[in-house]
Amino acid sequence: MLKRDENEALSMNYAEYTCAVKCEGKLLLKRIILILFFLALFVAGTAAVCGWIIYAPTLELIVIGVCGVGYFFASSRLKIEYEYIIASAQVEFDVIYGARTRKELFTISLDDVERIAPYNSDTAKYIENKNVSKSYDFCSSKKSKRRYFMLVRKDRSNFVIYFDAVARTLDVLKFFRASIVEIDKEIYDL
C-alpha cells in the first residue's frame, strides 16, 4: 500500500485530456459535401426507382436504407477527438474517430521539448523565429481559449504542436519539466 505522499507523487506524473474538434473550417466543408452527396444519391435512386425508369417501391426502401446506413458510417468518421496522455516524461497524441477508432499519432519525450506556453501574438512571433518545419494542431478550435503550443526540437528540425491545456495537464508538465512550462493564470483558472 502506498503512503500518502507517494500516492500524491503518483497522481502528479500522469494526466490525460480529450477534446472534441468543433465543426468549423475544412471539417464543416467535408460534412456539407457528405450531406449533399448522400442527398443527391437518395434523389437519384428514388427518381430511378419511383417511376421514371422502373416502378419498384421495395427498391426505393432499399435505396433509402443504403443512403441512411452509408451516411451514418461516413459521418462518424467526421466526429474527431484528440487525446493526449502525459506519463513518464512523455506525451502521446492520439486521434479518435467516431468515438470508437483510436489511432496513435506520435509520442514526444519532454526532453525534446524546448518550450510550452500559451499561444498569443508574442509567442506567434517567437515560433516564426524558430524556423518551424511542421506544425500539428490538436485543439478543439483555432479560437480555443486554452490553446497552448509545444515547441519540439527533434533530429535537427523544429516543429510545433498546438493543444488545449487544462490545469491538470499543465501541473503534470510542470512536474516533469518546470523550466520550459509557462502558465497563463487566465487559462489555468478556466
Side-chain angles (χ1 to χ4, degrees), residues 28-186:
L28 180 62
L29 181 64
K30 287 179 184 178
R31 185 161 284 169
I32 290 170
I33 290 171
L34 184 70
I35 289 170
L36 291 175
F37 172 76
F38 279 105
L39 189 63
L41 184 66
F42 171 74
V43 169
T46 304
V49 173
C50 279
W52 292 353
I53 298 176
I54 59 172
Y55 180 73
T58 53
L59 281 178
E60 181 181 356
L61 291 175
I62 292 172
V63 167
I64 292 171
V66 166
C67 287
V69 170
Y71 179 76
F72 173 76
F73 284 112
S75 68
S76 70
R77 294 282 296 172
L78 296 178
K79 294 175 186 166
I80 301 171
E81 296 176 327
Y82 291 117
E83 178 181 66
Y84 59 90
I85 300 168
I86 306 165
S88 303
Q90 293 186 333
V91 183
E92 177 184 308
F93 291 92
D94 298 336
V95 63
I96 303 167
Y97 295 107
R100 53 177 187 247
T101 306
R102 174 186 302 270
K103 179 181 176 188
E104 182 181 332
L105 299 174
F106 50 80
T107 302
I108 301 293
S109 172
L110 287 176
D111 294 333
D112 296 331
V113 176
E114 187 176 309
R115 185 176 179 194
I116 299 171
Y119 183 75
N120 53 38
S121 58
D122 295 333
T123 56
K125 292 174 187 172
Y126 173 81
I127 292 170
E128 281 180 28
N129 294 334
K130 288 296 184 175
N131 295 328
V132 173
S133 61
K134 213 172 205 184
S135 66
Y136 301 95
D137 195 344
F138 302 129
C139 290
S140 59
S141 170
K142 297 243 185 245
K143 302 169 190 166
S144 174
K145 293 180 181 177
R146 296 181 170 175
R147 190 171 170 92
Y148 264 66
F149 77 92
M150 182 182 295
L151 184 63
V152 181
R153 172 170 284 150
K154 198 167 190 173
D155 302 328
R156 295 188 202 131
S157 66
N158 292 335
F159 62 93
V160 67
I161 300 168
Y162 300 100
F163 64 101
D164 287 342
V166 292
R168 173 81 180 122
T169 57
L170 291 171
D171 288 341
V172 173
L173 289 167
K174 201 145 182 83
F175 174 80
F176 285 115
R177 296 277 317 270
S179 62
I180 63 168
V181 178
E182 296 175 26
I183 294 180
D184 183 355
K185 280 298 188 190
E186 285 183 26

